[in-house]
Amino acid sequence: MANAAFCISQVFHFSSFPRNSLQRNGLRSFTLLLPFSSSTSSSKLDQKKWRQPIVSSLELGGVKIARQDVVRDDPTNNVPDTIFSKLGMQLHRRDKHPIGILKNAIYDYFDTNYSNKFDKFDDLCPLVTVKQNFDDVLVPADHVSRSYNDTYYVDSQTVLRCHTSAHQAELLRNGHTHFLVTGDVYRRDSIDSTHYPVFHQMEGVRVFSPNDWDTSGTDATSYAAKDLKECLEGLARHLFGAVEMRWIDTYFPFTSPSFELEIFFQEKWLEVLGCGVTEKEILQRSGKTDNVAWAFGLGLERLAMVLFDIPDIRLFWSVDERFTSQFSSGQLGVKFKPFSKYPPCYKDISFWIDESFTENNLCEVVREIAGDLVEEVQLIDNFTNKKGMTSHCYRIAYRSMERSLTDEEINKLQWDVRERAVSKLNVILR
C-alpha cells in the first residue's frame, strides 16, 4: 500500500488561517448564544446513534488511506479516531449538500467568466508534509500555527492539511496557471456553534506572464491586484447579489499586498474571503521567475452558514433526512428550516492547571468523549490563589441536533470527560 502521507497536493488559505495566530476565524462574529437546560427522554437505542463507526480503510483521491496511516502509536501523533472518521466524508463533493452546492456555484462563476480556463481539484489527499503545509507557503518556522496545539500531526513530518494552500507549490511546479482547489482541512480549535475541527476551503490561483501586463501601462503587481479585485467582486455579486463591498488591507505570509473583501449583508459587514498578490519567492521556487500571480481563499462553511441560514456548524455533518432533504443540486441559498429545538444541558468542570495546559487540548478531550453532542466549551471563571496555583472553570454545553439527551447519558459523558482530563491533561480536579 502506498503511504498516503506522501500523496502529492498542497495550497494555502486566507480566510481561515489559524484563528489564534495571524488572523482569527471570522465565523466567531456569527456565534449564536443558546440557552441551557436538560431533558430526560430518549431510548437507549437513540443514545447510541450519535457515535460514528471508525472506518478501517477508505479510498480518497485514488489513494487508499488506512487508520494506521493517520492514527499511529507515535509520540508526535495527536490525531484522534474522531478526526479519522471524518476522512473520506468529502462534503464538498456532494451536489445536494450545502457545501457542494456552494462549491458548484463558484465553479459556475469561473466557468462562465473565464471560459473554463481554471483547472479544478477537489480530491487531493489531505495528508501532506510539513514542508507542503508550512514551508512552501512561507509560514515562519516559529509561527504558532505549527504547534501541536493547533495542528494535527500524523508524525513529526506529516500533518493533516490546515489549509488547501498546502497544494499550491506542487500545482504550480506541475505547470498549472489557473486553478481552484477545494478540500477538507483540519485544525485543533475551540468548540462553539461556528468552529469545528474539520471544515472546507476553496482556493483560487491565477498566474500572469509579462505579455499580460506589458501593454497595460501598470506594473505587474498593480495589474494582478486590479484583476484580482475585479474577479472577486464579480464572485461576491454572483453569490450574494448586488451588495455593497469594501476592501481591507491585511497581512498574510504568502501574499503582498494582501486584502480582505467584506460585503454589507443583512445589516452588517461580513468578511467573505482573503486574497493577495502571490509572494515572488513562491513563484520563483516553482520555476516561474518571470511571472506574477494572485491567489484567494475562502471558507465554505462560513459562507454557507450565511447563505443557507444554518445556525450550527455541526449540522453540516448531519445525516438526518430532516436536514439533508432540504437541499437540492443547484439551489443556492435555500433557507434552512430548523427541525428540532432539543434543549441543551450544561455541566461545569473546574481544575487546577499547570503551564502545559491549553484550551485546545481540553476541547480535544471533550470531542473524543462526546463527539458532536458537545455544542460549546466556554471558560467561565479563572483565578490564581496566594500559592500561585491557577484554576479554570469551563462550562460544557451538550446538545444533540437530532434528539433529546437524557441526564443519565450526559452524566456519563461528563464523568468520562473528568477522568480523561486528569489522565491526559495533567490537571487536578477541584
Side-chain angles (χ1 to χ4, degrees):
M1 178 191 304
N3 190 335
F6 295 99
C7 167
I8 300 299
S9 25
Q10 282 69 54
V11 195
F12 64 129
H13 216 267
F14 306 83
S15 61
S16 298
F17 207 73
R19 30 184 299 277
N20 54 352
S21 53
L22 296 178
Q23 179 182 359
R24 293 288 197 185
N25 189 328
L27 273 175
R28 190 167 291 279
S29 63
F30 306 148
T31 301
L32 303 178
L33 301 179
L34 300 169
F36 299 100
S37 64
S38 65
S39 175
T40 57
S41 64
S42 182
S43 69
K44 290 185 177 180
L45 179 61
D46 285 341
Q47 293 175 23
K48 298 179 181 178
K49 285 184 178 178
W50 66 272
R51 295 187 181 277
Q52 284 192 323
I54 302 301
V55 183
S56 59
S57 65
L58 51 89
E59 296 285 345
L60 187 65
V63 177
K64 189 171 184 179
I65 300 177
R67 182 178 179 276
Q68 60 266 28
D69 292 321
V70 181
V71 183
R72 299 178 182 173
D73 185 16
D74 183 294
T76 60
N77 185 284
N78 61 354
V79 184
D81 278 329
T82 51
I83 295 300
F84 174 71
S85 70
K86 295 294 189 289
L87 285 171
M89 299 288 281
Q90 297 190 306
L91 303 184
H92 59 289
R93 303 186 74 192
R94 302 183 185 186
D95 292 341
K96 295 182 180 180
H97 189 282
I99 299 298
I101 294 169
L102 176 55
K103 181 199 76 171
N104 289 332
I106 299 173
Y107 279 2
D108 289 342
Y109 170 77
F110 280 93
D111 287 345
T112 300
N113 291 276
Y114 294 92
S115 301
N116 297 305
K117 276 187 176 181
F118 280 78
D119 300 323
K120 304 178 187 72
F121 302 89
D122 68 358
D123 62 351
L124 301 181
C125 181
L127 278 74
V128 300
T129 65
V130 168
K131 178 180 181 296
Q132 293 169 323
N133 198 71
F134 298 117
D135 299 336
D136 283 353
V137 288
L138 310 184
V139 176
D142 59 351
H143 197 274
V144 65
S145 64
R146 292 177 180 256
S147 74
Y148 289 91
N149 187 59
D150 288 70
T151 295
Y152 288 109
Y153 278 80
V154 174
D155 57 41
S156 63
Q157 297 302 314
T158 311
V159 299
L160 288 173
R161 63 186 170 205
C162 301
H163 43 206
T164 45
S165 307
H167 307 282
Q168 187 183 82
E170 186 69 26
L171 291 174
L172 288 170
R173 285 194 295 269
N174 286 344
H176 298 283
T177 59
H178 298 67
F179 55 87
L180 301 172
V181 179
T182 312
D184 43 334
V185 297
Y186 300 79
R187 304 257 182 88
R188 301 179 90 242
D189 208 343
S190 57
I191 298 175
D192 59 37
S193 63
T194 60
H195 291 88
Y196 201 79
V198 188
F199 53 104
H200 298 78
Q201 293 182 342
M202 180 185 288
E203 173 163 328
V205 172
R206 185 180 190 185
V207 179
F208 301 93
S209 66
N211 290 335
D212 294 314
W213 69 79
D214 276 347
T215 59
S216 68
T218 62
D219 62 89
T221 297
S222 298
Y223 180 87
K226 181 176 182 292
D227 186 88
L228 169 66
K229 289 183 176 181
E230 290 176 352
C231 170
L232 297 180
E233 287 172 1
L235 175 59
R237 286 190 291 269
H238 179 73
L239 297 178
F240 293 94
V243 292
E244 184 180 355
M245 306 179 204
R246 68 183 183 187
W247 289 97
I248 308 295
D249 292 336
T250 188
Y251 166 79
F252 301 111
F254 23 70
T255 54
S256 181
S258 302
F259 316 100
E260 290 174 352
L261 175 62
E262 296 184 349
I263 64 171
F264 195 69
F265 186 77
Q266 297 180 346
E267 304 304 315
K268 63 183 178 182
W269 285 102
L270 167 69
E271 179 196 333
V272 175
L273 49 80
C275 61
V277 178
T278 306
E279 284 282 4
K280 292 182 179 179
E281 184 177 349
I282 293 175
L283 293 173
Q284 290 170 349
R285 289 180 181 181
S286 302
K288 293 177 168 48
T289 56
D290 298 326
N291 300 97
V292 67
W294 58 242
F296 73 84
L298 55 83
L300 292 175
E301 276 85 351
R302 172 182 301 177
L303 299 186
M305 290 181 79
V306 175
L307 289 166
F308 293 93
D309 278 354
I310 295 175
D312 193 306
I313 197 169
R314 292 175 298 163
L315 278 165
F316 289 113
W317 299 92
S318 176
V319 295
D320 192 311
E321 288 187 0
R322 291 171 296 177
F323 176 78
T324 58
S325 65
Q326 293 191 34
F327 309 101
S328 300
S329 178
Q331 299 298 308
L332 181 69
V334 172
K335 302 307 180 185
F336 168 68
K337 297 177 181 178
F339 55 82
S340 72
K341 295 181 184 279
Y342 295 113
C345 174
Y346 69 91
K347 298 287 184 179
D348 293 349
I349 179 172
S350 300
F351 43 72
W352 300 104
I353 67 171
D354 63 18
E355 60 184 13
S356 68
F357 175 82
T358 71
E359 186 173 312
N360 277 1
N361 285 340
L362 173 64
C363 289
E364 284 299 307
V365 165
V366 177
R367 283 196 183 99
E368 287 177 26
I369 299 297
D372 285 353
L373 292 184
V374 59
E375 179 174 75
E376 184 175 29
V377 174
Q378 182 182 19
L379 177 66
I380 61 172
D381 183 53
N382 73 91
F383 68 90
T384 302
N385 65 14
K386 294 180 180 180
K387 296 181 179 180
M389 298 176 63
T390 298
S391 170
H392 281 189
C393 180
Y394 288 89
R395 178 157 293 165
I396 303 174
Y398 297 98
R399 186 210 291 256
S400 170
M401 306 302 294
E402 301 169 358
R403 61 185 177 83
S404 291
L405 303 177
T406 67
D407 285 336
E408 179 184 6
E409 182 178 10
I410 294 168
N411 289 337
K412 175 63 167 61
L413 292 173
Q414 184 70 5
W415 180 262
D416 290 345
V417 167
R418 290 169 61 86
E419 288 192 327
R420 189 73 60 86
V422 171
S423 64
K424 294 195 70 172
L425 305 181
N426 196 33
V427 301
I428 301 174
L429 296 177
R430 295 183 58 224

